[in-house]
Amino acid sequence: MSSYGGTGYLVEFFSEVFEKVVQPKYGMFMYPKPTSPMWFPPKPSVEKNKYFLFGILCGLSIANQITAYLPFPLAVFKKLLNKKPTLSDVKELSPVLGRSLQTVLECELDDLEDRFQLCYSVSILHSFMIPSQMLNNLE
């Protein structure tokens, strides 16, 4: 405890709380793939105010200079800083979708939609992974 300057109990508290809350079985977050960053489920099994309380816990952790492991993708932190997410952020969440969009962007055909018979739709299965604002902000 002395190695943390007397704040060992705070480190342990925040570590325990965040470790439990970020688990998929808790219902606040999900992991599209085991190695991917966590994201928000399409239909959370917890009340909306739990996210507000989670934010308060994050703020208290920062105020107490306690580093918490929160495996969010970079896009979440960009949104907190009022910065636009990019295609690389989409690739971080969904590599297949990101590569597909990259291929379409790199294609130099005038009749792209007709040539590839492109008609995009996003199913509920994928909509939880990428907020519509992120897709609209891609350049």
Side-chain angles (χ1 to χ4, degrees):
M1 197 141 84
S2 61
S3 64
Y4 292 110
T7 61
Y9 61 92
L10 285 175
V11 172
E12 186 173 347
F13 169 76
F14 285 111
S15 295
E16 289 291 321
V17 169
F18 286 129
E19 185 178 326
K20 287 191 182 359
V21 171
V22 301
Q23 295 300 316
K25 65 183 175 186
Y26 190 76
M28 284 184 72
F29 303 104
M30 58 170 284
Y31 296 81
K33 293 183 180 172
T35 59
S36 67
M38 67 183 185
W39 197 246
F40 305 94
K43 295 181 181 180
S45 59
V46 297
E47 296 131 22
K48 209 173 190 179
N49 72 334
K50 297 258 181 167
Y51 291 101
F52 178 76
L53 296 173
F54 179 78
I56 290 174
L57 278 174
C58 289
L60 287 171
S61 174
I62 292 168
N64 286 287
Q65 299 177 355
I66 307 296
T67 303
Y69 176 67
L70 301 172
F72 282 117
L74 186 58
V76 170
F77 300 104
K78 283 184 176 180
K79 293 301 282 180
L80 288 172
L81 295 171
N82 249 356
K83 300 201 182 248
K84 286 184 177 183
T86 63
L87 182 57
S88 64
D89 298 317
V90 174
K91 288 178 183 177
E92 182 182 13
L93 283 171
S94 177
V96 173
L97 178 61
R99 282 192 305 271
S100 298
L101 291 173
Q102 182 71 49
T103 302
V104 170
L105 285 173
E106 291 171 351
C107 190
E108 296 180 3
L109 299 172
D110 289 334
D111 60 343
L112 183 70
E113 295 88 358
D114 295 333
R115 179 77 55 112
F116 290 111
Q117 297 179 349
L118 294 177
C119 178
Y120 283 101
S121 66
V122 178
S123 68
I124 189 68
L125 177 66
H126 290 96
S127 65
F128 67 87
M129 292 176 48
I130 302 164
S132 58
Q133 297 161 341
M134 183 185 293
L135 288 173
N136 292 338
N137 290 330
L138 290 177
E139 299 176 310

